[in-house]
Amino acid sequence: MPAVQETIDQVRQIDVDQYKYGFETTIEMDKAPKGLSEDIIRLISEKKNEPEWMLEWRLEAYRRWLTMDEPSWARVRYPKIDFNEIHYYAAPKGTTGPKSLDEVDPELLKVYEKLGIPLKEQEILAGVEKTKIAVDAVFDSVSVVTTFKEELKKAGVIFMSISEAMREHPDLVRKYLGTVVPQSDNFYATLNSAVFTDGSFVYVPKGVRCPMELSTYFRINERNTGQFERTLIIADEGAYVSYLEGCTAPQRDENQLHAAVVELIALDDAEIKYSTVQNWYPGDKHGKGGIYNFVTKRGDCRGKNSKISWTQVETGSAITWKYPSCILRGDGSRGEFYSIAVSNGHQQVDSGTKMIHLGKNTSSRIISKGIAAGVSDNTYRGQVSAHRKAENARNFTQCDSLLIGDKCGAHTVPYIEAKNSTAQFEHEATTSKISEDQLFYCLQRGIPEEQAIALIVNGFVKEVIQELPMEFAVEAQKLIGISLEGSVG
Amino acid sequence: MLEIKNLHARIAEDGTEIIRGLDLTVKAGEVAAIMGPNGSGKSTLSYILSGREDYEVTEGDILYNGESILELDPSERAAKGIFLAFQYPVEIPGVATMQFLKVAMNEQRKYRGEDELTTPEFMRRVKEAAAELKIAPEMLRRPLNVGFSGGEKKRAEILQMALLEPKLCVLDETDSGLDIDALKVVADGVNALRSPDRAVVVITHYQRLLDYIVPDTVHVLYKGQIVKSGDKTLAHELEAKGYADIIEAAA
Ligand SMILES: Nc1ncnc2c1ncn2[C@@H]1O[C@H](COP(=O)(O)OP(=O)(O)OP(=O)(O)O)[C@@H](O)[C@H]1O
Ligand SMILES: [Mg+2]
């Protein structure tokens, strides 16, 4: 064994989890006491300086939530969550909302720097060949900064934290919030409606093509804190926006809850492209710790010929429960779902999508690539339905699973329902293993086993990677390689 | 360069012995041809040389440049210069040929402590080698071996060999599936790599390939052993008379 390899192996043995975002930052925090009650909700609302109607909306959701049960249909197992052991609000001291960059605590800026998230506009501009990306950085419960706001404003694009939007654009927020994912939608979405703390708000006006990629970067830092973010994106008639979301959390022994809601609304001829690279802490190799990720994401193609496209790369979290969906309401609208879900160690993934065809001549496309390694479980759960009036609905679903080793599981659970006889739905599914032949072939060319697996897996997911914006695609490929390290031998 | 001594090897899974006391020496600069009836163990020998885990060496040794390689991983053997052109090249869906080449070349360089190739330098080398082998640049963008014709796959193997610049090249039936023109192109490619510090082992059933790649030695493999060795005239003899006499003499 060459010395270099030996060193690498030694380092690996020390850092079994290889989760490079696992660092913790000590920043003075302002925290609500543990537990959930109407008082806590009032406190959150007050901290955020919210209008009265918002508080009422939250309380209504909370009362509803008290009557609901946690869903149990997903193929995931975890101990019962004690919702009173969680802090529902945690913010770096002195931040009630985003400030201008020079006012932000330098310690916080360092965190994002360490994570590779560019927050300093000058620096971003200095890198000539890099494309501009506007970032909203959310740290535990609050947005700490949003970049390029001025430049976006010139184009008429509103991009700010949702708390800010509630104060500055109450009419827009009130008009759209909860219209795609209603307060009563499901257990976690209802909880989110009651306690959501921050998230991003985007409004792209009629006919405007957003001049840069928008992105939100979520970081859970505090112990025993839940992150409940809420994102609302509206593309008005003929508008276009591409939005990216990234997430990480420190390495911790206990599980942390993340229950987000994302609502997308595309009006006539509008298009929204939403990409996620989810890399929450997955837990250690014994299955200890990690984020419970219970997320409701839904897009409403409200206008004719509108289009919503979800692309997700899921590598983190101990448990993933997530089904980004499209309601194809407008005639001629189109929904897309491209997904890569990687599970290793003890991770459990139950993810997929719903394509609900309501309008005439609507179409949808689902490409799902699940990769399971270690002792993980990876389930694709998808629903495609055409309602009575959905003339000529079209769907194509391709769902491929790749197994690495023989202790993991991949499952495909498709629900297909057509109430209109003109619907044409196609479903293809495959399950395969990385073949010994492929692996040996790569090894024979001098490619070591882990790199060989990463190469083969990246080939397997290529169709989805191609859908990601350039910068994200490279990052995603690396991330998949890292997530699968230690998956063999 | 290569010394195989009394090699015994079996299938790891069920213990069936395939290689039964095989001796073979190939010197640097030499081209050795291995011939033998179907199922005699030629491909198996090539796999064992490259370290495939499905086979277990139970006795004997393989020395490469005087050192035993039995403990080395396949990727380490490759990085040390052992290359196998597969009888049945494997498809790698979604991985562009170009990308595969780059990863392989750079991983080998990394192992040897060399710097990664710059992209322009890599491109230059690939273009040059591909042109020599009459491989269209279009093909390099396609996923490796996926949908390649039989002949294209074999050519892609030789392209990899040319770029990886191995020291010991094992070609397992590279001639099968090639049309006459392609055979000539591939043979030229192999001949271009002949050099005093490189050895080539050509596994084939046909004299036709050996007309182009003229071997220094010819060996007949039968039931896991080398039963006869000679110079290039042995191949002509086999072409004319078949294996019957040799097999009988060996039995
Ligand atoms: N992994 C394996 N499992 C079962 N049998 C095997 C395995 N590998 C090799 N064999 C058997 O070992 C024998 C030698 O096979 P090998 O492929 O080496 O022959 P060959 O000389 O290359 O033949 P050909 O000229 O047809 O290519 C055959 O009988 C083959 O079926
Ligand atoms: Mg063979």
Side-chain angles (χ1 to χ4, degrees), chain A residues 62-346:
Chain A
Y62 175 63
R63 288 168 199 144
R64 185 74 175 238
W65 181 74
L66 290 173
T67 71
M68 296 169 94
D69 290 319
E70 243 179 290
S72 58
W73 43 263
R75 201 184 177 99
V76 291
R77 298 165 311 278
Y78 55 95
K80 215 161 167 43
I81 298 171
D82 186 346
F83 290 94
N84 279 319
E85 272 304 301
I86 297 173
H87 293 283
Y88 288 85
Y89 182 85
K93 269 237 165 83
T95 36
T96 39
K99 308 171 172 183
S100 77
L101 266 170
D102 5 308
E103 286 173 86
V104 176
D105 183 347
E107 279 302 310
L108 268 176
L109 289 180
K110 269 191 222 155
V111 173
Y112 287 92
E113 204 172 292
K114 212 160 157 186
L115 294 167
I117 313 300
L119 287 183
K120 296 190 189 140
E121 293 180 9
Q122 295 87 329
E123 266 178 30
I124 309 169
L125 289 168
V128 195
E129 77 276 35
K130 265 200 176 164
T131 31
K132 268 194 236 172
I133 302 179
V135 180
D136 183 19
V138 177
F139 194 81
D140 290 328
S141 305
V142 291
S143 163
V144 288
V145 70
T146 310
T147 59
F148 290 110
K149 259 163 91 171
E150 285 309 309
E151 196 167 336
L152 287 166
K153 208 167 161 185
K154 275 183 214 140
V157 175
I158 303 171
F159 178 43
M160 55 178 62
S161 77
I162 198 153
S163 316
E164 231 180 331
M166 241 176 271
R167 296 188 295 265
E168 291 186 25
H169 304 279
D171 296 345
L172 276 176
V173 176
R174 203 169 178 178
K175 182 170 175 192
Y176 291 107
L177 187 74
T179 63
V180 188
V181 179
Q183 267 169 320
S184 56
D185 193 77
N186 68 73
F187 184 82
Y188 302 110
T190 304
L191 175 64
N192 175 289
S193 302
V195 303
F196 74 87
T197 40
D198 224 331
S200 302
F201 176 81
V202 177
Y203 174 80
V204 188
K206 261 183 208 176
V208 171
R209 218 187 139 81
C210 186
M212 62 182 92
E213 306 263 0
L214 304 183
S215 91
T216 301
Y217 199 85
F218 296 99
R219 172 80 177 166
I220 300 180
N221 195 62
E222 264 305 289
R223 215 168 267 275
N224 300 319
T225 303
Q227 194 174 52
F228 304 91
E229 88 258 4
R230 184 116 195 167
T231 294
L232 177 58
I233 300 176
I234 303 131
D236 211 325
E237 290 172 22
Y240 169 85
V241 63
S242 167
Y243 179 92
L244 322 170
E245 176 204 290
C247 356
T248 59
Q251 213 156 314
R252 298 212 186 282
D253 286 350
E254 67 271 26
N255 299 101
Q256 279 178 291
L257 180 62
H258 174 254
V261 171
V262 175
E263 298 179 274
L264 310 182
I265 296 145
L267 301 183
D268 288 358
D269 304 301
E271 180 175 349
I272 302 174
K273 197 169 156 55
Y274 192 106
S275 315
T276 309
V277 172
Q278 184 266 108
N279 186 24
W280 295 118
Y281 177 54
D284 71 7
K285 68 171 179 185
H286 305 294
K288 205 164 167 43
I291 301 284
Y292 290 166
N293 194 29
F294 299 102
V295 173
T296 305
K297 291 184 167 178
R298 198 173 301 152
D300 189 355
C301 286
R302 211 164 273 183
K304 64 172 170 48
N305 300 323
S306 55
K307 180 177 168 188
I308 288 178
S309 168
W310 298 99
T311 305
Q312 60 171 23
V313 178
E314 303 279 313
T315 60
S317 295
I319 294 178
T320 303
W321 181 99
K322 181 179 175 190
Y323 316 88
S325 306
C326 295
I327 300 168
L328 304 169
R329 202 183 300 276
D331 290 346
S333 61
R334 178 169 174 83
E336 292 174 345
F337 175 73
Y338 299 98
S339 169
I340 298 170
V342 183
S343 57
N344 196 0
H346 290 260

